[in-house]
Amino acid sequence: MARFEHINSLLLQLTDGSYNALDTYLNNCNHLREHINGAMSLLRERNFEEYIIENDAALYYNLQSVMLAMQMLKNLLENLAGTMKHSILQPSMLENQYA
């Protein structure tokens, strides 16, 4: 429960907070990633997963929702990075037409 509360706190800061420095924002992103990875490793343990489903299903589904959203964001960022890398390395079609 404490881990999930910390994850929620970081998410609220990252979505609603006003940051004066990119470093501070990125530091919070790194903390969030560490907490999410810790929660994901806990939920990969079958005994823990079964325990939390039986004893606090709402917490289990909240954690699952947050982790799915984070995985989706990670996938988006990785795809954007790949697309940007590809577009930087490959000349555009317009450049090929006029070369």
Side-chain angles (χ1 to χ4, degrees):
M1 187 65 158
R3 184 179 298 268
F4 184 65
E5 287 173 359
H6 198 77
I7 288 171
N8 273 341
S9 174
L10 285 167
L11 285 170
L12 287 173
Q13 287 177 19
L14 289 165
T15 56
D16 296 335
S18 176
Y19 292 89
N20 293 325
L22 180 59
D23 289 346
T24 306
Y25 181 83
L26 292 176
N27 186 48
N28 280 358
C29 287
N30 284 328
H31 285 296
L32 177 63
R33 182 191 51 170
E34 290 170 12
H35 285 286
I36 295 258
N37 287 339
M40 288 176 76
S41 65
L42 276 175
L43 287 175
R44 283 188 202 112
E45 294 177 23
R46 190 70 183 151
N47 291 337
F48 180 75
E49 183 181 36
E50 289 171 2
Y51 171 82
I52 200 164
I53 288 171
E54 283 181 27
N55 293 289
D56 196 344
L59 175 60
Y60 173 78
Y61 289 111
N62 281 328
L63 280 169
Q64 288 292 335
S65 297
V66 168
M67 286 187 276
L68 284 172
M70 292 297 105
Q71 287 297 103
M72 193 170 76
L73 179 59
K74 178 183 176 210
N75 188 40
L76 169 69
L77 294 174
E78 288 172 351
N79 279 291
L80 285 173
T83 301
M84 290 174 63
K85 181 179 176 183
H86 180 72
S87 67
I88 290 170
L89 295 176
Q90 299 291 326
S92 72
M93 293 178 74
L94 286 175
E95 290 173 344
N96 286 336
Q97 289 177 354
Y98 298 109

XYZ file of all heavy atoms in Angstrom:
802
model
N 0.832 -1.202 0.000
C 0.000 0.000 0.000
C 0.868 1.254 0.000
O 0.583 2.202 -0.720
C -0.930 -0.047 1.220
C -1.936 1.039 1.236
S -3.050 0.838 -0.161
C -4.425 1.737 0.388
N 1.930 1.223 0.803
C 2.818 2.393 0.879
C 3.475 2.662 -0.467
O 3.598 3.819 -0.889
C 3.871 2.182 1.956
N 3.879 1.590 -1.159
C 4.503 1.764 -2.476
C 3.511 2.398 -3.449
O 3.845 3.302 -4.204
C 4.994 0.425 -3.014
C 5.741 0.549 -4.334
C 6.229 -0.789 -4.838
N 7.164 -1.412 -3.952
C 8.491 -1.271 -4.031
N 8.996 -0.519 -4.956
N 9.275 -1.905 -3.192
N 2.271 1.927 -3.426
C 1.268 2.470 -4.338
C 0.971 3.936 -4.006
O 0.817 4.761 -4.911
C -0.012 1.645 -4.281
C -1.045 2.103 -5.266
C -0.815 1.991 -6.624
C -2.240 2.646 -4.834
C -1.759 2.418 -7.548
C -3.185 3.084 -5.751
C -2.943 2.966 -7.108
N 0.918 4.279 -2.730
C 0.689 5.672 -2.346
C 1.832 6.557 -2.833
O 1.607 7.680 -3.290
C 0.525 5.775 -0.834
C -0.802 5.239 -0.341
C -0.918 5.188 1.172
O 0.051 5.565 1.877
O -1.979 4.766 1.652
N 3.062 6.045 -2.749
C 4.203 6.824 -3.243
C 4.124 6.979 -4.761
O 4.411 8.055 -5.289
C 5.519 6.151 -2.829
C 6.686 7.068 -2.919
N 6.942 8.045 -1.981
C 7.651 7.174 -3.856
C 8.011 8.709 -2.328
N 8.477 8.201 -3.471
N 3.734 5.922 -5.454
C 3.562 5.999 -6.914
C 2.516 7.051 -7.263
O 2.723 7.890 -8.143
C 3.180 4.614 -7.492
C 4.378 3.674 -7.442
C 2.648 4.740 -8.918
C 4.051 2.230 -7.777
N 1.389 7.025 -6.558
C 0.334 8.023 -6.817
C 0.818 9.437 -6.548
O 0.508 10.362 -7.298
C -0.907 7.724 -5.987
C -1.827 6.753 -6.673
O -1.749 6.546 -7.873
N -2.703 6.138 -5.905
N 1.570 9.606 -5.482
C 2.109 10.924 -5.147
C 3.020 11.431 -6.267
O 2.919 12.587 -6.693
C 2.874 10.846 -3.826
O 3.517 12.056 -3.552
N 3.901 10.575 -6.747
C 4.783 10.969 -7.850
C 4.001 11.264 -9.124
O 4.291 12.226 -9.835
C 5.824 9.878 -8.110
C 6.959 9.797 -7.094
C 7.736 8.502 -7.255
C 7.876 10.997 -7.232
N 2.993 10.448 -9.405
C 2.172 10.694 -10.596
C 1.469 12.044 -10.522
O 1.410 12.779 -11.511
C 1.147 9.574 -10.780
C 1.692 8.254 -11.309
C 0.633 7.170 -11.209
C 2.196 8.407 -12.732
N 0.938 12.367 -9.349
C 0.276 13.667 -9.185
C 1.270 14.812 -9.368
O 0.960 15.816 -10.017
C -0.394 13.761 -7.820
C -1.670 12.934 -7.668
C -2.150 12.968 -6.216
C -2.752 13.442 -8.603
N 2.460 14.667 -8.808
C 3.478 15.702 -8.982
C 3.840 15.869 -10.453
O 3.977 16.994 -10.944
C 4.737 15.355 -8.190
C 4.609 15.507 -6.708
C 5.874 15.063 -5.989
O 6.947 14.980 -6.585
N 5.746 14.767 -4.714
N 3.990 14.739 -11.145
C 4.399 14.797 -12.548
C 3.305 15.328 -13.459
O 3.590 15.941 -14.485
C 4.850 13.410 -13.020
C 6.180 12.945 -12.433
C 6.371 11.454 -12.646
C 7.331 13.729 -13.031
N 2.049 15.111 -13.097
C 0.964 15.586 -13.959
C 0.504 16.993 -13.613
O 0.090 17.736 -14.492
C -0.257 14.645 -13.901
O -0.675 14.507 -12.552
C 0.079 13.292 -14.476
N 0.580 17.351 -12.346
C 0.056 18.650 -11.921
C 1.122 19.647 -11.497
O 0.847 20.825 -11.363
C -0.924 18.481 -10.752
C -2.160 17.688 -11.142
O -2.491 17.679 -12.339
O -2.780 17.096 -10.253
N 2.330 19.163 -11.263
C 3.376 20.021 -10.707
C 3.937 20.990 -11.718
O 3.901 20.779 -12.923
N 4.456 22.072 -11.178
C 5.149 23.060 -11.990
C 6.630 22.947 -11.645
O 7.021 23.097 -10.489
C 4.627 24.462 -11.661
O 5.355 25.421 -12.374
N 7.436 22.651 -12.636
C 8.858 22.419 -12.412
C 9.670 23.568 -12.979
O 9.460 23.984 -14.112
C 9.287 21.109 -13.063
C 8.694 19.896 -12.396
C 7.468 19.387 -12.807
C 9.345 19.273 -11.342
C 6.912 18.279 -12.189
C 8.803 18.166 -10.715
C 7.581 17.681 -11.150
O 7.036 16.589 -10.531
N 10.596 24.056 -12.172
C 11.478 25.127 -12.628
C 12.695 24.592 -13.368
O 13.393 25.348 -14.024
C 11.934 25.982 -11.442
C 10.776 26.740 -10.831
O 9.872 27.168 -11.532
N 10.800 26.903 -9.524
N 12.949 23.289 -13.226
C 14.113 22.701 -13.872
C 13.755 21.328 -14.436
O 13.071 20.544 -13.771
C 15.261 22.583 -12.883
N 14.222 21.050 -15.618
C 13.993 19.760 -16.242
C 14.619 18.645 -15.412
O 14.067 17.552 -15.315
C 14.550 19.753 -17.668
C 14.377 18.469 -18.462
C 12.900 18.101 -18.607
C 15.042 18.593 -19.825
N 15.765 18.928 -14.791
C 16.436 17.921 -13.964
C 15.537 17.426 -12.838
O 15.520 16.237 -12.531
C 17.728 18.476 -13.363
C 18.822 18.656 -14.397
O 18.684 18.121 -15.511
O 19.814 19.344 -14.083
N 14.791 18.313 -12.221
C 13.894 17.934 -11.128
C 12.780 17.032 -11.653
O 12.446 16.017 -11.052
C 13.287 19.181 -10.463
O 14.350 20.051 -10.058
C 12.452 18.823 -9.262
N 12.215 17.399 -12.789
C 11.163 16.589 -13.405
C 11.693 15.197 -13.746
O 11.066 14.185 -13.434
C 10.626 17.291 -14.654
C 9.520 16.528 -15.339
C 8.209 16.644 -14.897
C 9.789 15.694 -16.414
C 7.185 15.936 -15.516
C 8.774 14.988 -17.037
C 7.478 15.113 -16.587
O 6.477 14.412 -17.196
N 12.866 15.142 -14.370
C 13.453 13.864 -14.747
C 13.820 13.030 -13.524
O 13.688 11.801 -13.546
C 14.678 14.081 -15.630
C 14.377 14.653 -17.022
C 15.668 14.934 -17.782
C 13.468 13.743 -17.810
N 14.242 13.685 -12.455
C 14.530 12.974 -11.211
C 13.266 12.300 -10.677
O 13.291 11.140 -10.257
C 15.121 13.933 -10.179
C 15.571 13.222 -8.933
O 16.265 12.215 -8.989
N 15.165 13.758 -7.782
N 12.147 13.006 -10.718
C 10.871 12.414 -10.290
C 10.469 11.266 -11.213
O 9.933 10.257 -10.761
C 9.772 13.471 -10.227
C 9.828 14.292 -8.971
O 10.661 14.066 -8.096
N 8.961 15.272 -8.865
N 10.738 11.408 -12.508
C 10.452 10.316 -13.450
C 11.272 9.086 -13.100
O 10.766 7.958 -13.146
C 10.755 10.755 -14.882
S 9.572 11.922 -15.568
N 12.535 9.282 -12.741
C 13.389 8.154 -12.366
C 12.881 7.486 -11.094
O 12.877 6.260 -10.993
C 14.836 8.591 -12.196
C 15.518 8.813 -13.522
O 15.217 8.156 -14.505
N 16.438 9.749 -13.556
N 12.461 8.282 -10.111
C 11.897 7.708 -8.879
C 10.623 6.915 -9.196
O 10.422 5.822 -8.657
C 11.587 8.792 -7.843
C 12.800 9.336 -7.174
N 13.622 8.575 -6.377
C 13.333 10.575 -7.180
C 14.605 9.308 -5.918
N 14.460 10.529 -6.400
N 9.795 7.467 -10.054
C 8.569 6.770 -10.442
C 8.899 5.438 -11.107
O 8.309 4.409 -10.784
C 7.735 7.641 -11.379
C 6.454 7.009 -11.914
C 5.482 6.713 -10.773
C 5.810 7.924 -12.944
N 9.850 5.458 -12.014
C 10.251 4.227 -12.698
C 10.734 3.177 -11.699
O 10.353 2.009 -11.782
C 11.353 4.526 -13.702
C 11.791 3.303 -14.507
C 13.026 3.600 -15.254
N 13.952 4.151 -14.265
C 15.219 4.372 -14.457
N 15.745 4.128 -15.600
N 15.993 4.865 -13.527
N 11.537 3.589 -10.728
C 12.038 2.649 -9.723
C 10.904 2.035 -8.915
O 10.881 0.825 -8.668
C 13.016 3.348 -8.789
C 14.334 3.715 -9.444
C 15.200 4.615 -8.579
O 14.891 4.792 -7.374
O 16.183 5.143 -9.118
N 9.941 2.860 -8.507
C 8.807 2.354 -7.721
C 7.900 1.449 -8.556
O 7.396 0.448 -8.063
C 8.016 3.506 -7.107
C 8.719 4.131 -5.949
N 8.817 3.530 -4.724
C 9.382 5.306 -5.844
C 9.497 4.298 -3.895
N 9.859 5.384 -4.565
N 7.701 1.818 -9.803
C 6.871 0.984 -10.691
C 7.550 -0.365 -10.923
O 6.903 -1.408 -10.869
C 6.624 1.704 -12.038
C 5.811 2.949 -11.802
C 5.993 0.770 -13.058
C 4.373 2.905 -12.130
N 8.855 -0.336 -11.182
C 9.575 -1.595 -11.389
C 9.506 -2.470 -10.138
O 9.346 -3.686 -10.245
C 11.029 -1.334 -11.782
C 11.164 -0.832 -13.197
O 10.275 -1.015 -14.024
N 12.272 -0.189 -13.492
N 9.604 -1.857 -8.954
C 9.481 -2.616 -7.714
C 8.104 -3.234 -7.556
O 7.974 -4.405 -7.167
N 7.082 -2.465 -7.871
C 5.713 -2.982 -7.778
C 5.486 -4.098 -8.797
O 4.853 -5.111 -8.492
C 4.695 -1.854 -7.994
N 6.029 -3.934 -9.992
C 5.866 -4.956 -11.019
C 6.559 -6.252 -10.611
O 6.018 -7.332 -10.820
C 6.402 -4.459 -12.360
C 5.519 -3.409 -12.993
S 6.196 -2.752 -14.518
C 5.841 -4.098 -15.639
N 7.736 -6.143 -10.005
C 8.429 -7.363 -9.586
C 7.669 -8.054 -8.455
O 7.623 -9.283 -8.391
C 9.872 -7.072 -9.193
O 9.938 -6.251 -8.062
N 7.042 -7.274 -7.574
C 6.213 -7.872 -6.521
C 5.024 -8.618 -7.124
O 4.706 -9.731 -6.702
C 5.683 -6.801 -5.570
C 6.591 -6.353 -4.446
C 5.946 -5.192 -3.690
C 6.898 -7.495 -3.504
N 4.382 -8.001 -8.085
C 3.201 -8.622 -8.684
C 3.536 -9.813 -9.568
O 2.657 -10.609 -9.893
C 2.389 -7.587 -9.465
C 1.627 -6.594 -8.594
C 0.949 -5.543 -9.454
C 0.608 -7.299 -7.718
N 4.795 -9.944 -9.951
C 5.208 -11.128 -10.717
C 5.329 -12.355 -9.826
O 5.354 -13.475 -10.319
C 6.529 -10.862 -11.421
C 6.378 -10.001 -12.644
C 7.673 -9.924 -13.436
N 7.658 -8.734 -14.251
C 8.436 -7.676 -14.076
N 9.334 -7.659 -13.121
N 8.341 -6.628 -14.874
N 5.427 -12.115 -8.509
C 5.478 -13.231 -7.569
C 4.057 -13.755 -7.393
O 3.178 -13.064 -6.883
C 6.052 -12.785 -6.225
C 7.496 -12.363 -6.301
C 8.019 -11.866 -4.967
O 7.461 -12.234 -3.917
O 8.994 -11.097 -4.990
N 3.841 -14.951 -7.823
C 2.489 -15.525 -7.854
C 1.826 -15.511 -6.477
O 0.648 -15.188 -6.363
C 2.557 -16.958 -8.410
C 1.219 -17.541 -8.708
C 0.628 -16.841 -9.905
N -0.698 -17.362 -10.142
C -1.651 -16.651 -10.691
N -1.434 -15.433 -11.066
N -2.841 -17.168 -10.886
N 2.563 -15.851 -5.429
C 1.987 -15.874 -4.078
C 1.510 -14.493 -3.654
O 0.435 -14.346 -3.077
C 2.990 -16.412 -3.057
C 3.256 -17.880 -3.241
O 2.436 -18.602 -3.811
N 4.404 -18.327 -2.768
N 2.322 -13.478 -3.938
C 1.931 -12.118 -3.571
C 0.721 -11.669 -4.382
O -0.211 -11.071 -3.845
C 3.087 -11.139 -3.768
C 2.726 -9.730 -3.392
C 2.631 -9.356 -2.067
C 2.450 -8.783 -4.373
C 2.282 -8.056 -1.709
C 2.095 -7.494 -4.032
C 2.015 -7.127 -2.693
N 0.748 -11.972 -5.665
C -0.372 -11.589 -6.526
C -1.677 -12.219 -6.019
O -2.697 -11.532 -5.903
C -0.107 -12.018 -7.963
C -1.204 -11.580 -8.915
C -0.939 -12.030 -10.335
O -0.400 -13.142 -10.518
O -1.302 -11.288 -11.248
N -1.633 -13.485 -5.695
C -2.831 -14.158 -5.175
C -3.270 -13.547 -3.843
O -4.466 -13.347 -3.615
C -2.563 -15.654 -5.009
C -2.454 -16.385 -6.326
C -1.977 -17.819 -6.169
O -1.760 -18.272 -5.017
O -1.827 -18.489 -7.207
N -2.299 -13.233 -2.982
C -2.612 -12.642 -1.685
C -3.310 -11.296 -1.850
O -4.341 -11.032 -1.220
C -1.333 -12.469 -0.852
C -1.561 -11.671 0.406
C -2.072 -12.286 1.551
C -1.299 -10.307 0.448
C -2.300 -11.555 2.705
C -1.528 -9.575 1.591
C -2.033 -10.196 2.715
O -2.267 -9.460 3.841
N -2.760 -10.448 -2.698
C -3.332 -9.105 -2.833
C -4.696 -9.154 -3.527
O -5.585 -8.371 -3.200
C -2.350 -8.135 -3.514
C -2.748 -6.696 -3.198
C -2.257 -8.359 -4.977
C -1.677 -5.688 -3.486
N -4.875 -10.079 -4.460
C -6.188 -10.210 -5.107
C -7.235 -10.614 -4.072
O -8.343 -10.080 -4.064
C -6.129 -11.225 -6.265
C -5.345 -10.630 -7.439
C -7.521 -11.624 -6.722
C -5.042 -11.627 -8.549
N -6.871 -11.535 -3.199
C -7.813 -11.994 -2.173
C -8.090 -10.938 -1.111
O -9.209 -10.810 -0.630
C -7.269 -13.241 -1.472
C -7.407 -14.507 -2.273
C -6.867 -15.706 -1.512
O -6.867 -15.694 -0.265
O -6.443 -16.661 -2.188
N -7.062 -10.177 -0.715
C -7.185 -9.281 0.431
C -7.434 -7.817 0.089
O -7.928 -7.077 0.929
C -5.934 -9.392 1.307
C -5.838 -10.756 1.946
O -6.606 -11.078 2.835
N -4.917 -11.567 1.461
N -7.069 -7.407 -1.124
C -7.303 -6.012 -1.502
C -7.376 -5.908 -3.026
O -6.459 -5.415 -3.680
C -6.190 -5.112 -0.950
C -6.567 -3.638 -0.962
O -7.536 -3.267 -1.661
O -5.897 -2.858 -0.264
N -8.482 -6.386 -3.549
C -8.654 -6.426 -5.004
C -8.591 -5.030 -5.613
O -8.037 -4.851 -6.705
C -9.969 -7.104 -5.365
N -9.111 -4.029 -4.908
C -9.084 -2.662 -5.437
C -7.642 -2.181 -5.621
O -7.305 -1.588 -6.648
C -9.847 -1.717 -4.516
N -6.798 -2.448 -4.635
C -5.390 -2.072 -4.745
C -4.735 -2.809 -5.906
O -3.993 -2.218 -6.689
C -4.641 -2.371 -3.441
C -3.134 -2.127 -3.465
C -2.828 -0.669 -3.770
C -2.518 -2.544 -2.138
N -5.020 -4.087 -6.041
C -4.454 -4.884 -7.128
C -4.817 -4.268 -8.484
O -3.946 -4.059 -9.339
C -4.945 -6.329 -7.058
C -4.529 -7.151 -8.241
C -3.232 -7.643 -8.341
C -5.426 -7.420 -9.270
C -2.840 -8.396 -9.443
C -5.042 -8.172 -10.368
C -3.744 -8.652 -10.451
O -3.366 -9.386 -11.541
N -6.083 -3.962 -8.684
C -6.503 -3.420 -9.976
C -6.007 -1.993 -10.189
O -5.714 -1.601 -11.322
C -8.019 -3.535 -10.153
C -8.422 -4.971 -10.364
C -9.137 -5.673 -9.401
C -8.033 -5.657 -11.512
C -9.472 -7.006 -9.586
C -8.363 -6.991 -11.707
C -9.077 -7.655 -10.741
O -9.391 -8.982 -10.932
N -5.881 -1.227 -9.114
C -5.280 0.104 -9.244
C -3.825 -0.002 -9.674
O -3.374 0.729 -10.559
C -5.384 0.889 -7.938
C -6.744 1.492 -7.734
O -7.412 1.866 -8.689
N -7.162 1.604 -6.490
N -3.084 -0.901 -9.043
C -1.683 -1.109 -9.424
C -1.577 -1.571 -10.875
O -0.735 -1.085 -11.628
C -1.028 -2.149 -8.511
C -0.578 -1.662 -7.152
C -0.201 -2.832 -6.263
C 0.595 -0.706 -7.293
N -2.435 -2.506 -11.249
C -2.419 -2.992 -12.630
C -2.689 -1.848 -13.612
O -2.031 -1.747 -14.652
C -3.455 -4.109 -12.818
C -3.086 -5.407 -12.171
C -1.891 -6.073 -12.822
O -1.590 -5.864 -13.984
N -1.193 -6.871 -12.045
N -3.644 -0.996 -13.292
C -3.978 0.127 -14.174
C -2.808 1.087 -14.333
O -2.488 1.513 -15.442
C -5.184 0.886 -13.628
O -6.308 0.065 -13.606
N -2.181 1.426 -13.216
C -1.040 2.344 -13.266
C 0.101 1.718 -14.059
O 0.723 2.371 -14.904
C -0.585 2.732 -11.833
C 0.753 3.442 -11.858
C -1.636 3.602 -11.166
N 0.376 0.454 -13.801
C 1.478 -0.203 -14.500
C 1.206 -0.335 -15.990
O 2.112 -0.147 -16.807
C 1.780 -1.544 -13.857
C 2.486 -1.350 -12.520
S 3.041 -2.861 -11.795
C 1.556 -3.387 -10.983
N -0.029 -0.612 -16.365
C -0.370 -0.662 -17.787
C -0.184 0.707 -18.440
O 0.334 0.809 -19.552
C -1.797 -1.160 -17.984
C -2.007 -2.654 -17.805
C -3.502 -2.984 -17.824
C -1.278 -3.440 -18.881
N -0.606 1.747 -17.748
C -0.431 3.104 -18.284
C 1.046 3.439 -18.449
O 1.450 4.023 -19.459
C -1.112 4.122 -17.370
N 1.862 3.032 -17.482
C 3.298 3.298 -17.565
C 3.938 2.494 -18.693
O 4.796 2.997 -19.412
C 3.995 2.973 -16.238
C 3.616 3.897 -15.098
S 4.090 5.619 -15.396
C 2.503 6.340 -15.791
N 3.510 1.260 -18.865
C 4.023 0.444 -19.964
C 3.629 1.065 -21.312
O 4.415 1.069 -22.251
C 3.500 -0.989 -19.871
C 4.128 -1.795 -18.762
C 5.607 -1.981 -18.954
O 6.412 -1.318 -18.307
N 5.987 -2.851 -19.833
N 2.410 1.584 -21.377
C 1.947 2.220 -22.600
C 2.790 3.468 -22.899
O 3.210 3.694 -24.042
C 0.470 2.593 -22.472
C -0.179 2.969 -23.765
S -1.966 3.125 -23.608
C -2.091 4.681 -22.780
N 3.065 4.263 -21.872
C 3.896 5.454 -22.039
C 5.314 5.062 -22.453
O 5.896 5.667 -23.351
C 3.926 6.266 -20.741
C 4.781 7.525 -20.761
C 4.310 8.487 -21.842
C 4.751 8.196 -19.400
N 5.859 4.039 -21.817
C 7.200 3.559 -22.177
C 7.233 3.126 -23.635
O 8.158 3.465 -24.381
C 7.595 2.399 -21.272
C 8.942 1.804 -21.596
C 9.240 0.614 -20.702
C 10.550 -0.016 -21.117
N 10.606 -1.429 -20.865
N 6.225 2.386 -24.059
C 6.144 1.937 -25.443
C 6.065 3.131 -26.400
O 6.719 3.153 -27.438
C 4.950 1.004 -25.622
C 4.933 0.353 -26.980
O 5.958 -0.045 -27.496
N 3.745 0.247 -27.556
N 5.268 4.118 -26.043
C 5.154 5.318 -26.866
C 6.511 5.996 -27.012
O 6.936 6.334 -28.115
C 4.139 6.291 -26.260
C 4.121 7.688 -26.876
C 3.572 7.635 -28.300
C 3.315 8.638 -26.028
N 7.205 6.191 -25.884
C 8.499 6.872 -25.923
C 9.528 6.077 -26.724
O 10.303 6.650 -27.490
C 9.000 7.131 -24.504
C 8.160 8.121 -23.692
C 8.648 8.184 -22.259
C 8.163 9.500 -24.342
N 9.522 4.753 -26.563
C 10.453 3.922 -27.330
C 10.140 3.981 -28.821
O 11.052 4.048 -29.647
C 10.422 2.481 -26.829
C 11.084 2.314 -25.480
C 10.902 0.929 -24.878
O 10.105 0.119 -25.433
O 11.540 0.662 -23.845
N 8.858 3.978 -29.161
C 8.487 4.080 -30.565
C 8.835 5.446 -31.141
O 9.303 5.542 -32.280
C 6.993 3.782 -30.759
C 6.724 2.302 -30.796
O 7.102 1.633 -31.743
N 6.114 1.779 -29.749
N 8.625 6.493 -30.364
C 9.003 7.829 -30.821
C 10.509 7.923 -31.029
O 10.963 8.477 -32.029
C 8.544 8.896 -29.827
C 7.060 9.221 -29.818
C 6.728 10.165 -28.675
C 6.632 9.824 -31.151
N 11.266 7.378 -30.087
C 12.723 7.409 -30.204
C 13.167 6.639 -31.453
O 14.031 7.101 -32.201
C 13.376 6.831 -28.952
N 12.552 5.485 -31.681
C 12.883 4.697 -32.870
C 12.508 5.412 -34.147
O 13.266 5.418 -35.121
N 11.350 6.053 -34.146
C 10.899 6.793 -35.320
C 11.815 7.978 -35.593
O 12.195 8.231 -36.732
C 9.448 7.282 -35.124
O 8.614 6.152 -34.899
C 8.946 8.053 -36.320
N 12.183 8.689 -34.528
C 13.079 9.837 -34.697
C 14.442 9.379 -35.197
O 15.023 9.997 -36.082
C 13.200 10.607 -33.386
C 11.938 11.350 -33.003
S 12.029 12.120 -31.383
C 13.352 13.272 -31.625
N 14.953 8.296 -34.634
C 16.251 7.767 -35.063
C 16.181 7.372 -36.532
O 17.070 7.693 -37.313
C 16.635 6.572 -34.203
C 17.968 5.974 -34.544
C 18.274 4.810 -33.623
C 19.567 4.139 -34.017
N 19.840 2.966 -33.185
N 15.105 6.696 -36.904
C 14.927 6.264 -38.293
C 14.839 7.476 -39.222
O 15.460 7.494 -40.281
C 13.676 5.393 -38.413
C 13.412 4.912 -39.795
N 14.178 3.947 -40.405
C 12.466 5.285 -40.698
C 13.714 3.749 -41.624
N 12.680 4.529 -41.827
N 14.081 8.489 -38.828
C 13.903 9.647 -39.700
C 15.181 10.478 -39.793
O 15.431 11.109 -40.808
C 12.731 10.511 -39.230
O 13.021 11.105 -37.998
N 15.998 10.460 -38.753
C 17.263 11.191 -38.800
C 18.249 10.480 -39.706
O 18.988 11.096 -40.466
C 17.844 11.356 -37.372
C 16.990 12.337 -36.580
C 19.294 11.836 -37.414
C 17.327 12.396 -35.106
N 18.248 9.145 -39.664
C 19.197 8.372 -40.445
C 18.790 8.230 -41.906
O 19.633 8.093 -42.779
C 19.375 6.976 -39.832
C 19.997 6.950 -38.439
C 20.030 5.519 -37.916
C 21.401 7.539 -38.462
N 17.499 8.239 -42.185
C 17.005 8.052 -43.543
C 16.698 9.406 -44.174
O 15.970 10.199 -43.601
C 15.722 7.209 -43.527
C 15.902 5.831 -42.948
C 16.748 4.955 -43.854
O 16.695 5.068 -45.064
N 17.528 4.084 -43.235
N 17.225 9.665 -45.367
C 16.854 10.918 -46.037
C 15.370 10.896 -46.389
O 14.812 9.847 -46.676
C 17.727 10.942 -47.285
C 18.313 9.582 -47.424
C 18.153 8.862 -46.117
N 14.767 12.038 -46.345
C 13.333 12.094 -46.640
C 13.100 11.856 -48.130
O 13.994 11.974 -48.958
C 12.756 13.444 -46.233
O 13.196 14.444 -47.132
N 11.876 11.514 -48.443
C 11.522 11.262 -49.840
C 11.698 12.510 -50.691
O 12.099 12.433 -51.842
C 10.086 10.735 -49.930
C 9.913 9.356 -49.320
S 8.229 8.772 -49.386
C 8.097 8.362 -51.120
N 11.430 13.681 -50.111
C 11.589 14.922 -50.870
C 13.044 15.146 -51.232
O 13.352 15.564 -52.354
C 11.069 16.118 -50.063
C 9.558 16.239 -49.953
C 9.191 17.388 -49.032
C 8.958 16.456 -51.334
N 13.940 14.857 -50.298
C 15.358 15.045 -50.588
C 15.792 14.104 -51.703
O 16.605 14.478 -52.542
C 16.196 14.798 -49.332
C 16.027 15.864 -48.283
C 16.726 15.514 -46.976
O 17.089 14.329 -46.782
O 16.885 16.421 -46.151
N 15.264 12.874 -51.709
C 15.618 11.910 -52.750
C 15.113 12.370 -54.121
O 15.755 12.127 -55.133
C 15.054 10.526 -52.438
C 15.824 9.859 -51.317
O 16.985 10.173 -51.078
N 15.175 8.926 -50.646
N 13.952 13.023 -54.154
C 13.392 13.456 -55.437
C 14.221 14.539 -56.070
O 14.313 14.646 -57.282
C 11.967 13.961 -55.234
C 10.971 12.878 -54.922
C 9.579 13.446 -54.659
O 9.387 14.656 -54.611
N 8.608 12.559 -54.480
N 14.839 15.410 -55.243
C 15.569 16.539 -55.779
C 17.076 16.320 -55.800
O 17.820 17.204 -56.163
C 15.235 17.798 -54.975
C 13.768 18.144 -55.060
C 12.938 17.971 -53.967
C 13.220 18.586 -56.248
C 11.579 18.282 -54.055
C 11.874 18.884 -56.340
C 11.071 18.720 -55.239
O 9.737 19.015 -55.314
N 17.531 15.137 -55.457
C 18.980 14.877 -55.427
C 19.491 14.546 -56.804
O 18.861 14.172 -57.697
C 19.278 13.750 -54.448
